[in-house]
Amino acid sequence: MSDPLTRWSVDDYAISPLGDRVAFVVRAPNSNMAYSTKVDVYLASTQDYCRPRHLTARINGTASMPTFSSDGRRLAWLQMETPGYESDRNRVYLYTMATRESVAVAYDWDLSPQSLSWSKDDKVIYALTPNKGRNLIHSIEVGTGKRKELTTCGSAGGVRPIDEKSFLYVYSSENQSGDIHKLDTADCKPIRLTSVNKEKLENVFLSPAEDFWFGGAQGDRVHGWLLRPFGFDSRKSYPMALLIHGGPHQASTQCFSHAQWNPNMYASAGFVTVVINFHGSSSYGQNFTDSIQHRWGDYPYVDLMRGIDYVTTKYKFVDKSRMVALGGSYGGYMVNWLNGHTDIFKCLVAHDGKFSTVSGFYGTDELWFPERDLGKPWEETGRAILEQNNPERFAANFNTPTLFVHGEKDFRIPITESLGAWMMLRRRDIPARLVYFPDEDHWINHGGNSIRWYTEVLDWITRWTNTTSPYAIR
């Protein structure tokens, strides 16, 4: 939905159960999307023409996910309050039609819900909320703000209420693809209703995740998990693959991913696969998420190094001489940072990663992101912070063979970032390979390209670790 006359761009909308109102999420006319994160909620009648009511005029953050109650008398949405910050905590706001008043519910909750659904009796809101590397469903009592965790493991999504006390949802984990489940809030015992991919997956190796916690930067506890490889034998040793998530204010979650970072793709190729949610990750409280402002190369790096020490000490079957690290977006940035700060990896893989924080600033479509997290390069303080966290500043220390993957249509991190790092390694006679996708953006969206991506990546890491995969990669 868009209006070429006012230049409003509607990002999301909801229609009331009676069809008499519509709530929509929109960026204000003439706002500059490159450096503003203000997104507003408006409410309009569908029965006659009138000026839409602006519900978030006094809040300068991002609003999302408008959702009407089943009787249409109230509207809930998610609201960030910090301007210019994409990873601020989402708070739950409620608007009552009769009083035209908005209030926040469970305001002090230190987690950040991602979607909302009303119970059939409108007494409870179900909030899909990342929590310690899992996407869980919580209930929030509308009248009191009292919360209850309804699911405890894996990742949930697609909540659809059935009646006042139960709902359907999609559940997945590392070793279980998405299926529809039913949950009664009285006993919170999930009932699996479908097994959509049972036949396709019955002969596919899927390793479960094993959680671990260790002492990271600033003395904080940091969470990770490990997947054992195909054909695991505790008497043998195996190469290790460290997967580094993007964001950096995201988190790896225990879900069944179809994209490039499904940990079982690496476990099935013979690698002990390790995931660590370092400082800056979401789902561990807002302070943990906020902690790496101006410190992109600091706390996360400390966490990863300490996590590797923990894993290689506890799990004796990990071969410390055959470790690799892979990451995309911020994870690709961190791969470049690792290359300038350690030589413990046999090879690296950087997907759409930033090589220079300075050139990366000038080339991105999201200026508000580096402005808030690092600074502006034309200001003395901002320039100093950008350089302090700049992988390119340590280019002379890069010595690890690296595979770079990039899409031509990536406007968040332009392809010049990978080209620059690849060229530097090649010029210095350090093995490097560049895989270029002319039709992809920040992600790999096409099935054929995804197969090629995995082929290139798995071939690279098995070759440099002298690992024989259980199946032919090329």
Side-chain angles (χ1 to χ4, degrees):
M1 296 175 63
S2 62
D3 186 337
L5 298 179
T6 61
R7 299 197 332 179
W8 287 32
S9 176
V10 176
D11 297 322
D12 192 13
Y13 66 93
I15 299 173
S16 65
L18 297 177
D20 57 338
R21 294 185 178 94
V22 59
F24 55 93
V25 174
V26 65
R27 293 181 183 270
N30 303 317
S31 69
N32 194 317
M33 291 191 289
Y35 53 81
S36 171
T37 62
K38 182 169 174 57
V39 180
D40 291 301
V41 175
Y42 286 81
L43 182 68
S45 170
T46 61
Q47 306 303 303
D48 49 40
Y49 178 81
C50 62
R51 186 179 183 84
R53 182 174 296 277
H54 190 180
L55 304 186
T56 54
R58 298 179 181 178
I59 308 175
N60 291 317
T62 300
S64 62
M65 294 297 301
T67 308
F68 283 97
S69 60
S70 62
D71 61 10
R73 296 178 180 177
R74 283 174 291 188
L75 177 75
W77 71 88
L78 297 174
Q79 181 68 60
M80 296 182 183
E81 296 183 348
T82 304
Y85 188 24
E86 68 159 354
S87 301
D88 188 24
R89 186 190 338 164
N90 272 323
R91 293 177 167 90
V92 180
Y93 271 69
L94 295 177
Y95 177 80
T96 302
M97 306 298 166
T99 63
R100 295 186 175 182
E101 294 180 346
S102 298
V103 296
V105 180
Y107 186 83
D108 294 328
W109 194 16
D110 198 31
L111 294 178
S112 185
Q114 300 300 301
S115 68
L116 304 173
S117 302
W118 290 80
S119 63
K120 286 291 186 178
D121 59 7
D122 294 332
K123 294 181 179 179
V124 167
I125 291 176
Y126 300 122
L128 181 63
T129 308
N131 188 354
K132 296 180 174 62
R134 297 160 174 83
N135 291 319
L136 305 181
I137 302 172
H138 294 74
S139 63
I140 304 173
E141 292 183 5
V142 174
T144 65
K146 183 179 179 180
R147 304 178 302 276
K148 180 181 178 181
E149 187 177 274
L150 303 179
T151 60
T152 59
C153 59
S155 288
V159 178
R160 296 293 185 271
I162 302 173
D163 52 37
E164 288 78 0
K165 296 295 182 180
S166 62
F167 55 83
L168 301 176
Y169 68 104
V170 176
Y171 171 86
S172 75
S173 64
E174 282 90 350
N175 60 341
Q176 180 183 323
S177 62
D179 275 300
I180 298 174
H181 287 60
K182 177 184 177 183
L183 188 136
D184 190 314
T185 59
D187 58 19
C188 292
K189 295 180 179 179
I191 300 172
R192 184 172 179 170
L193 301 181
T194 66
S195 298
V196 176
N197 294 298
K198 181 179 180 180
E199 293 183 2
K200 293 182 179 179
L201 294 177
E202 60 184 359
N203 294 318
V204 175
F205 171 76
L206 294 173
S207 180
E210 302 176 33
D211 291 88
F212 60 83
W213 292 80
F214 62 93
Q218 298 296 98
D220 295 330
R221 294 181 74 226
V222 176
H223 182 208
W225 52 89
L226 173 148
L227 281 71
R228 302 188 185 213
F230 175 80
F232 176 76
D233 183 340
S234 60
R235 297 168 297 181
K236 298 180 179 180
S237 63
Y238 298 89
M240 189 195 85
L242 173 68
L243 305 186
I244 307 172
H245 71 69
H249 305 300
Q250 299 174 2
S252 294
T253 56
Q254 295 188 5
C255 66
F256 194 89
S257 169
H258 67 278
Q260 282 64 57
W261 305 105
N262 187 318
N264 261 300
M265 290 297 294
Y266 308 94
S268 68
F271 289 80
V272 175
T273 305
V274 173
V275 175
I276 294 173
N277 280 332
F278 44 81
H279 275 79
S281 301
S282 58
S283 80
Y284 297 89
Q286 195 61 38
N287 286 339
F288 193 81
T289 302
D290 296 344
S291 65
I292 65 167
Q293 185 181 23
H294 304 167
R295 294 180 177 273
W296 273 27
D298 187 355
Y299 297 164
Y301 174 76
V302 172
D303 291 342
L304 294 175
M305 292 298 100
R306 291 185 182 177
I308 290 171
D309 288 343
Y310 177 88
V311 167
T312 55
T313 300
K314 179 177 180 179
Y315 301 97
K316 302 301 183 183
F317 49 80
V318 174
D319 186 345
K320 292 192 290 186
S321 68
R322 293 195 294 155
M323 298 191 297
V324 302
L326 313 86
S329 195
Y330 173 83
Y333 159 92
M334 179 49 65
V335 163
N336 286 324
W337 187 265
L338 291 172
N339 210 343
H341 288 79
T342 182
D343 59 0
I344 65 172
F345 298 105
K346 295 295 288 185
C347 70
L348 300 167
V349 178
H351 172 95
D352 289 12
K354 191 173 290 188
F355 177 46
S356 168
T357 51
V358 177
S359 63
F361 179 99
Y362 288 122
T364 187
D365 64 344
E366 292 184 341
L367 284 175
W368 38 262
F369 183 30
E371 279 188 14
R372 192 271 176 193
D373 263 27
L374 297 172
K376 303 181 183 74
W378 56 85
E379 296 177 353
E380 182 177 357
T381 300
R383 184 69 177 220
I385 294 169
L386 285 160
E387 291 292 359
Q388 180 182 348
N389 294 275
N390 189 355
E392 190 273 336
R393 188 162 64 96
F394 304 92
N397 300 333
F398 281 43
N399 284 298
T400 305
T402 305
L403 170 67
F404 298 95
V405 186
H406 221 109
E408 172 66 36
K409 298 179 180 180
D410 186 352
F411 302 118
R412 187 148 308 158
I413 300 177
I415 192 172
T416 49
E417 294 298 306
S418 286
L419 282 170
W422 170 78
M423 183 281 294
M424 180 271 296
L425 289 179
R426 291 295 296 265
R427 180 64 183 83
R428 295 178 53 221
D429 296 323
I430 297 168
R433 180 174 173 83
L434 174 68
V435 177
Y436 164 73
F437 289 100
D439 56 343
E440 297 289 7
D441 50 28
H442 198 54
W443 297 268
I444 302 298
N445 301 296
H446 301 88
N449 287 343
S450 186
I451 294 173
R452 179 60 183 269
W453 190 97
Y454 270 122
T455 300
E456 294 284 348
V457 169
L458 294 176
D459 179 71
W460 184 260
I461 64 175
T462 53
R463 176 154 55 94
W464 283 102
T465 56
N466 194 27
T467 299
T468 302
S469 173
Y471 54 88
I473 294 175
R474 286 192 184 273

